[in-house]
């Protein structure tokens, strides 16, 4: 049996809620940010082509590269939104 403090920590743990929040954020980024949406679309098309030609190793490599690209793009978008929140006027260094 797990110790009491361990069970107390798990009481509020909701993994499905976390997954739903993650997917909601991804959908928001894909719909509202053109750069994220276009890169996800191109990645999916490339993966579909590789699956069509049965290049399974290529699919894995493209999937990993696409996931890293998506993480970098979402991080960039978050930083841009933060900078826009701090300085709402046009600033060349922010972009």
């Amino acid at each position: 049996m797990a110790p009491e403090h361990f069970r107390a920590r798990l009481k509020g743990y909701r993994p499905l809620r976390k997954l739903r929040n993650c997917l909601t954020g991804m959908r928001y980024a894909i719909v509202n940010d053109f750069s994220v949406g276009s890169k996800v679309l191109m990645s999916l098309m490339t993966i579909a082509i590789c699956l069509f030609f049965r290049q399974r190793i290529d699919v894995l490599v493209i999937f990993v590269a696409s996931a890293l690209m998506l993480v970098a793009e979402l991080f960039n978008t978050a930083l841009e939104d933060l900078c826009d929140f701090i300085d709402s006027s046009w600033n060349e260094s922010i972009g």
Side-chain angles (χ1 to χ4, degrees), residues 20-84:
R20 185 183 70 207
N21 288 340
C22 176
L23 294 176
T24 301
M26 290 296 297
R27 187 181 73 210
Y28 179 82
I30 290 170
V31 170
N32 294 319
D33 191 354
F34 177 75
S35 63
V36 174
S38 64
K39 289 175 184 173
V40 167
L41 181 65
M42 287 188 293
S43 295
L44 290 175
M45 289 179 2
T46 307
I47 288 172
I49 290 170
C50 286
L51 285 173
F52 179 74
F53 290 113
R54 299 176 188 220
Q55 302 293 324
R56 298 199 194 318
I57 299 298
D58 293 343
V59 169
L60 288 175
V61 170
I62 292 169
F63 182 77
V64 169
S66 297
L68 290 173
M69 175 272 315
L70 188 60
V71 167
E73 189 63 41
L74 290 174
F75 187 70
N76 181 42
T77 301
L79 284 177
E80 286 177 353
D81 287 346
L82 180 64
C83 290
D84 289 342

